Every structure is written in structure tokens, then in C-alpha cells.
Amino acid sequence: MNFLEQYRQYKSLIEAELENLSYSRQAPIEVYQPLDYMLAIGGKRLRPVMTLAACEAFGGDVQKAILPALGIEVFHNFTLIHDDIMDNAPIRRGKPTVHQKWNTNVGILSGDMMLIKAYELVCSVDAVQLPKVLRVFNNTATKVCEGQQMDMDFEEKDTVTVADYLQMIEAKTAVLLGGALQVGALIAGADEQDAENMYCFGCKIGSAFQVKDDWLDTFGDEQKVGKRIGGDIAEGKNTFLMIKTRELASEMQRSELYHIYHNGHNDQEKIQSVMNLYHQLNISEITLDEINRLYQEAMEALHTVCIAEDKKQFFKEFAEFLIYRDF
Amino acid sequence: MNFLEQYRQYKSLIEAELENLSYSRQAPIEVYQPLDYMLAIGGKRLRPVMTLAACEAFGGDVQKAILPALGIEVFHNFTLIHDDIMDNAPIRRGKPTVHQKWNTNVGILSGDMMLIKAYELVCSVDAVQLPKVLRVFNNTATKVCEGQQMDMDFEEKDTVTVADYLQMIEAKTAVLLGGALQVGALIAGADEQDAENMYCFGCKIGSAFQVKDDWLDTFGDEQKVGKRIGGDIAEGKNTFLMIKTRELASEMQRSELYHIYHNGHNDQEKIQSVMNLYHQLNISEITLDEINRLYQEAMEALHTVCIAEDKKQFFKEFAEFLIYRDF
């Protein structure tokens, strides 16, 4: 079975079980409806798929990993609901966000409920693995919240360094991919060091994925990415590209950057001018180099894991899929 | 040792350990500061004290119950932070609420972090008790969120029945007291049925406590209660007293009630007029009867618990303290 077939098989296990959850059958319906709504909007299900794959790679019973994997997906969706409130985002995956469709209070409370349901699902692991799995899940959840706080702090700063930024994206998005893999490995009874190495693999590849996201927003193909290119520039977002540019810019380029955002330019002018700076400073290549560096680190972590090479194939292809995608 | 001495001893164990937590030593400080702030504001620490007391009553090691007990207190404080946002409350225990002192985003995110930290603390129980304890904690946390949703739903309704109201206060506030006792019993290795009976005791006495709160707001002694009497009436809150009044009122009294709230009366006039209705309908006695009924049910639950009578003394006195208090 090739990578994509295998991925789809794991994903369909997840989708089938997600439908079974159907929280809205419970009262009071107002607090449960948003859970089903968010979970039905879909997505790539990267994280729970990785839990199943890691469990199987270490010789575990995939069936036993399904509910905990859902727990990780439910956790991810809880963060989306609350982040969307904090970021004032009206749309998520083409649909109204929860606080937009209902209201902020519903968003807060159903998010809380979703976090509790995430724990409930994770708690379904066998008693013997429960303490370890919960330790990973608690640490991961903590880091995700820390990452969201860093992200909010960074919005008000223009002194963010590349190192700060990488730390933030690792916490906010990458550790959950790492945690998903680690939990899957632990459910299979993997050695703790191996499980930890799977976590590192997930963190690095998750960070690479996020930096690639930044790159695609500026240098991607509008047709393939499926959204207008340059959105991050227009919004003046602190991306890897922008932060690197600030680091490398000469005095004159820095002042040019300042004027681009403070002289009432329209979006198209901003995008054009910042792209010029990016070209002058070789930002596209530097960013692709960074993605490659993270990818190599991920591969090193995977290399140290003590499982047969053929079991690693799925994760290698997954990493390549995330890094070389153009959408 | 008498009840109050014992209570203070448990409470000081809790307070000492709470100081040790000191989350603000971690970065990013913005997400951790509100945790220490909320936990330092204090309170009666009813719930964690009950966890310690239940653990000791069943012959357990109190030291092993301290961190899980803190988990329950941290969970309680998480609900306060998020409820205060949802209720738009500026003041809590005489201090600015978290979203007031910082902002709503900080309130949401630090509340989330607090919920995760609550789980982390609860997870410190011995592996052998962990699955049972987490089942109780997950169920309790779920009910608390359901209760908050019911409470918000009720604000927009004037068709709430006494049964609805009792269900809401049980979920929103009483089950956590029940859960605190049940967790303490389970940590001590209590029989599941006994632990369940302790939960019932806590639920009933917690509900009685809440109804007593409603009674004190209208019929209490301003000096002792420490706040202006009649606040609930002035706000038109759906309390046990108000809901019972609506149930018992004649057509004429109902229309009188309507006019009290729709004719631009000032607070003092509202309080005076509603108090008149309460007197006509004997609401004070009916409410005290309800408190007594809940108290009796609590006592029955406690009676069925298989521990020596002298071990029950603390809980009996605790129940009386909650019910007969005039502050």
C-alpha cells in the first residue's frame, strides 16, 4: 500500500469514529452543538492519523489508538474555537467560526467542554499506559497554550527574532503533531526514548510545515494554494519571511519597510514593495533553506528510532508530503 | 479536635501547597500570572478541604490527596475566570476579575491553561487510582459546563421550573463538591459505592448551600452577609425564591410581578414590592423547607456510607455549618 492509500485508510477510521461521537444528542444542546459543527468542518486530520500510524509502526493495536487519537483531534479543534475568538476571525475553513455563528459565550463554553471531552477520549487508553500518555498530553496542551500567548505577544512587537518565532510556532502548532506521534507510540508500548524521538520528529516536521505555510502565502501558486497570494504581507503579519527581512535589512531597507506600512499604501502596493525587498534579500531561498534544515533535523530524529526501516517509510513520505507540497 | 480546628488544619495544608505552585515563574508570564492572581484571592477552599477530609475518613494518606485536591481548587478557579467573562462581571471577591484586570483574551487563554493545570494536578494520583479518579473528574467537569450553559439559557427564560433550577445549581456548583469528596474517597481506596455515596452527600449539601445563598440574599442580615440585601431582586435574577414565586402566584400576583419589573421602578421599590409578594406567598419558609429537604437527603446519603460514625462527624458538622450559617 502506498503512502496516500495508507493515509486515507487511517483517516477514514478517524472520520467513522468522529461521526459516532455525535455530542449534540446530549442536553443542554447549546453547549454541545458547536462540537459537532467544528468536527464536521473536517480538515486533513493530520494529528490523529499520526497517532494511529505511530501506534501501528510500533506493533500496537490500532483499534486501541482510535479514541485517544480522536482526543487529540478534539483538542486541536478546541484550540481553534478559542483562538478564533482571540483573533477575532469570522471564517475557518470556509465556514463561519463558532463565536460568529453563535456568540462569544457559546464559543468560550463549548471550547471548554471540548477540552474536557478531549481529556475524556485520551483517558480511554489502557490503565497501564495512562500515566505516561497523560504526562505527554498535559505537557503538549501546556505548550500549545504558551504558544498561543507568545503569538499574541508577538503581534504587538516588532523586535521578534527568528529564534523567538521558531519557538512560538513549535509550541503553538508543532508540538501537538509531536504529541500525537508520541501518544501513538506509547499506546503501542514503545520504549520511552523511541516515543520521545517520534515526538522530536513531529515537532521538527510540524515547524517545517508552518514555515512552508508562510512561504506559500507569498511565493505559492494562487491556483494551487487556493487563496490570494500576499495576504500575510498585506496584513503586515509577523511571518518567518518578514522577521528574517527585518533581521537582514540595511538601515535604508528597514526605513523603506517602515514607510511601506505607514504611508497609506493599498494592499497591492504593499505586496509589490515587500516582494521587492524579499527579492533583494534572497528571502525565498533563505526560507526554503530553513525548511530544509528543519526537515533534516526531523529525519535525524526519525533515524534514531528503533523500528525497522520499512516502518519508517510512511513517516518519511509524510514529511516529504508536508514539505514539498505546493498547496 | 473540633470541626473548625480540623477544617483550618486541612485548609492550611491546601494554602501552603498553593503557594508552592507559583505558576508565574514560568514564561510566557502573561498566561501564567492570572493563575497565581486568582489562587491568591483566596476563598473558603471548601472543595479541596473536602477531598482531604474524605481521604482521611477512609483511612487514606492525606499527603497523597493534596495535589489532586489542589487540582479541584484550580479547576474551580478556572470556571470562575471563564464565568466572569461570560457574565461580564467586573469584581470577584472584592478584586477586579481577570478579564477586567488584563483583558478578555488573557481571561480566555489563562482559563484554558488553568483547566490543563487542574488536570495535571489531578493526574498526580497513584497509577492504580488514576482511571477511576479521572472518570469522576471528567464527569464532574462535564456537568459543571452543562450547568453553566443551563444558567445562561435560564437568563433568557421566564418559564424555568423549580425542578429545572435545582438541576442547574446541582450541575453548576454542587457536583464539584460531590466530585471533590468522591475523589478523596477513591484516593484512599474506598469502595466505589461508598465513594459514590460521598458524591451524593456532596451534591445534596452543595445544592442546599446554593439555595441558602439565594435565601440569604433576600432574608439575610446585611451586617452578617456583608453585602446589600435584595441584590438578586433588584437585578431580577432567577433565584429559587423568584421561580417558586412565579409557580405559586395567582393571576393577579403574576401581573403585579410583571409590572414591578416593567414600570421603571427603582431598586428600592422593586425590593420592597417583591418582598411583599414573598411574604404573601410564604416564600421564606418554603425555601427553608427546601434547604432542609436537601439537607435530609444529604444526611441519608452519608448514613449509607460504610465508615465508623465518628468519621462521619466532620461531614455532619460541615453540612450544618453550610446550612445554618447566617453569612
Side-chain angles (χ1 to χ4, degrees):
Chain A
M1 197 161 13
N2 72 22
F3 166 72
L4 270 179
E5 280 166 15
Q6 184 69 62
Y7 191 97
R8 283 199 199 101
Q9 209 169 78
Y10 289 135
K11 186 164 183 273
S12 65
L13 282 173
I14 296 296
E15 297 290 356
E17 202 64 30
L18 274 175
E19 282 201 24
N20 272 344
L21 286 181
S22 187
Y23 289 111
S24 308
R25 283 177 296 200
Q26 294 164 75
I29 198 169
E30 297 82 351
V31 72
Y32 284 113
Q33 265 176 340
L35 277 66
D36 288 341
Y37 174 76
M38 275 303 281
L39 293 171
I41 290 181
K44 293 181 283 294
R45 315 294 190 196
L46 288 183
R47 299 156 194 83
V49 163
M50 285 306 117
T51 303
L52 300 190
C55 177
E56 194 156 50
F58 284 91
D61 176 357
V62 170
Q63 289 302 321
K64 288 195 175 176
I66 293 181
L67 290 183
L70 291 192
I72 287 166
E73 180 67 9
V74 169
F75 177 84
H76 173 59
N77 279 273
F78 138 72
T79 66
L80 299 182
I81 295 181
H82 278 192
D83 286 4
D84 285 341
I85 300 174
M86 292 184 252
D87 301 343
N88 226 338
I91 301 287
R92 158 80 56 190
R93 298 175 190 147
K95 299 256 190 176
T97 49
V98 167
H99 69 276
Q100 184 78 16
K101 188 173 160 74
W102 285 272
N103 58 52
T104 300
N105 283 358
V106 167
I108 294 173
L109 192 63
S110 63
D112 294 344
M113 182 65 101
M114 211 157 184
L115 177 50
I116 292 162
K117 294 294 138 193
Y119 270 100
E120 205 167 83
L121 287 161
V122 170
C123 285
S124 68
V125 303
D126 284 351
V128 61
Q129 321 291 3
L130 190 58
K132 283 183 204 171
V133 166
L134 282 169
R135 206 170 313 126
V136 171
F137 191 69
N138 286 329
N139 288 342
T140 303
T142 297
K143 289 223 182 84
V144 172
C145 285
E146 289 178 357
Q148 170 66 7
Q149 182 64 52
M150 284 184 240
D151 197 13
M152 296 197 299
D153 293 347
F154 288 178
E155 270 167 38
E156 291 150 26
K157 283 186 190 166
D158 55 3
T159 54
V160 179
T161 65
V162 166
D164 291 338
Y165 183 72
L166 290 174
Q167 195 195 347
M168 182 279 281
I169 60 172
E170 177 167 313
K172 184 170 172 174
T173 70
V175 297
L176 191 56
L177 194 63
L181 286 155
Q182 192 173 7
V183 164
L186 289 173
I187 290 171
D191 170 86
E192 288 209 41
Q193 187 58 55
D194 278 340
E196 184 75 30
N197 287 333
M198 289 303 288
Y199 172 82
C200 290
F201 164 74
C203 277
K204 294 302 174 185
I205 213 65
S207 293
F209 173 77
Q210 194 58 48
V211 178
K212 179 77 186 228
D213 233 33
D214 288 357
W215 186 90
L216 284 171
D217 195 274
T218 299
F219 298 109
D221 179 327
E222 197 148 302
Q223 294 290 317
K224 290 181 181 161
V225 176
K227 62 178 182 183
R228 199 173 56 93
I229 293 303
D232 287 349
I233 297 178
E235 285 176 44
K237 262 182 77 173
N238 264 334
T239 61
F240 181 88
L241 291 70
M242 183 59 83
I243 294 165
K244 198 75 197 173
T245 298
R246 269 202 228 95
E247 270 192 17
L248 297 178
S250 64
E251 196 73 24
M252 230 178 78
Q253 286 165 324
R254 217 184 301 263
S255 112
E256 200 182 326
L257 196 57
Y258 181 87
H259 285 296
I260 294 169
Y261 285 104
H262 293 85
N263 278 357
H265 291 302
N266 67 30
D267 284 356
Q268 213 40 56
E269 290 163 344
K270 282 182 199 164
I271 294 171
Q272 196 52 55
S273 310
V274 171
M275 288 281 268
N276 274 341
L277 274 176
Y278 283 177
H279 285 301
Q280 288 166 32
L281 291 165
N282 217 18
I283 293 298
S284 172
E285 291 69 21
I286 291 172
T287 306
L288 292 172
D289 283 350
E290 179 65 28
I291 294 166
N292 197 49
R293 191 186 65 78
L294 289 162
Y295 169 75
Q296 293 301 337
E297 286 186 10
M299 285 305 123
E300 281 165 36
L302 187 62
H303 184 71
T304 59
V305 174
C306 299
I307 49 173
E309 280 308 305
D310 66 311
K311 305 267 186 196
K312 294 182 186 172
Q313 195 51 33
F314 179 82
F315 303 105
K316 284 182 189 163
E317 294 193 40
F318 171 68
E320 282 164 20
F321 166 76
L322 287 188
I323 301 315
Y324 298 123
R325 76 201 156 96
D326 51 8
F327 58 91
Chain B
M1 198 160 14
N2 73 23
F3 166 72
L4 270 179
E5 281 166 13
Q6 184 70 61
Y7 191 98
R8 283 199 199 100
Q9 209 167 78
Y10 289 134
K11 187 165 182 274
S12 64
L13 282 173
I14 296 295
E15 298 290 356
E17 202 63 29
L18 274 175
E19 282 201 24
N20 273 344
L21 286 181
S22 188
Y23 289 110
S24 308
R25 282 177 297 199
Q26 295 165 76
I29 198 169
E30 298 82 350
V31 72
Y32 284 113
Q33 265 177 339
L35 276 66
D36 288 342
Y37 175 75
M38 274 304 280
L39 292 170
I41 290 182
K44 294 180 283 293
R45 314 292 191 197
L46 287 182
R47 298 158 194 82
V49 163
M50 285 305 117
T51 303
L52 299 190
C55 177
E56 193 156 51
F58 284 91
D61 176 357
V62 170
Q63 290 302 320
K64 288 194 175 176
I66 293 180
L67 290 183
L70 291 193
I72 288 167
E73 180 67 9
V74 169
F75 176 85
H76 173 59
N77 280 273
F78 139 72
T79 66
L80 299 182
I81 294 181
H82 278 191
D83 286 4
D84 284 341
I85 299 173
M86 293 184 251
D87 301 344
N88 225 339
I91 301 285
R92 158 80 57 190
R93 298 177 190 145
K95 299 256 189 176
T97 49
V98 168
H99 68 276
Q100 185 76 19
K101 188 173 162 73
W102 286 272
N103 58 53
T104 300
N105 283 358
V106 167
I108 293 173
L109 191 63
S110 63
D112 294 344
M113 183 63 102
M114 212 158 183
L115 176 50
I116 292 161
K117 294 295 137 193
Y119 269 99
E120 205 167 82
L121 288 160
V122 169
C123 285
S124 67
V125 303
D126 284 351
V128 61
Q129 321 292 1
L130 190 59
K132 283 184 204 171
V133 166
L134 281 169
R135 205 170 313 125
V136 171
F137 191 68
N138 286 329
N139 288 342
T140 303
T142 297
K143 289 224 182 84
V144 171
C145 285
E146 290 178 357
Q148 170 67 5
Q149 183 64 52
M150 284 185 242
D151 196 13
M152 295 197 298
D153 292 347
F154 288 178
E155 270 167 38
E156 291 150 27
K157 282 186 190 166
D158 56 2
T159 54
V160 179
T161 65
V162 166
D164 292 337
Y165 183 72
L166 290 174
Q167 196 194 347
M168 182 277 281
I169 59 171
E170 178 167 312
K172 184 172 172 173
T173 70
V175 297
L176 191 56
L177 195 63
L181 287 155
Q182 192 173 6
V183 164
L186 289 173
I187 290 170
D191 169 87
E192 288 210 41
Q193 187 58 56
D194 277 340
E196 183 75 30
N197 288 332
M198 289 303 288
Y199 172 81
C200 290
F201 165 74
C203 276
K204 294 302 173 184
I205 214 63
S207 293
F209 172 77
Q210 194 57 48
V211 178
K212 179 76 186 229
D213 234 32
D214 288 357
W215 185 91
L216 285 171
D217 194 274
T218 300
F219 298 109
D221 179 326
E222 199 147 299
Q223 295 289 317
K224 289 181 183 161
V225 176
K227 62 177 181 182
R228 198 172 56 94
I229 293 303
D232 287 349
I233 297 177
E235 286 176 43
K237 261 182 76 174
N238 264 335
T239 61
F240 182 88
L241 290 68
M242 183 58 84
I243 294 165
K244 197 76 196 172
T245 298
R246 269 202 228 95
E247 269 191 18
L248 297 178
S250 65
E251 197 72 25
M252 230 177 78
Q253 286 166 324
R254 217 183 301 262
S255 111
E256 200 182 325
L257 197 56
Y258 181 86
H259 285 295
I260 294 170
Y261 284 103
H262 293 83
N263 278 357
H265 291 301
N266 66 31
D267 284 356
Q268 212 40 55
E269 290 163 344
K270 281 184 200 164
I271 294 170
Q272 195 53 54
S273 309
V274 171
M275 287 282 267
N276 274 339
L277 273 176
Y278 283 177
H279 284 302
Q280 287 166 32
L281 292 165
N282 218 18
I283 293 298
S284 172
E285 291 70 21
I286 291 172
T287 306
L288 292 172
D289 283 352
E290 180 65 28
I291 294 166
N292 198 48
R293 190 186 66 78
L294 289 163
Y295 169 75
Q296 293 301 337
E297 286 186 12
M299 286 303 124
E300 281 165 35
L302 186 63
H303 184 70
T304 59
V305 174
C306 298
I307 49 172
E309 279 309 305
D310 66 312
K311 305 266 186 195
K312 295 182 184 172
Q313 195 54 32
F314 179 82
F315 303 104
K316 284 182 188 163
E317 293 193 41
F318 172 67
E320 282 164 20
F321 166 75
L322 287 188
I323 302 315
Y324 298 122
R325 76 202 157 96
D326 51 8
F327 59 91

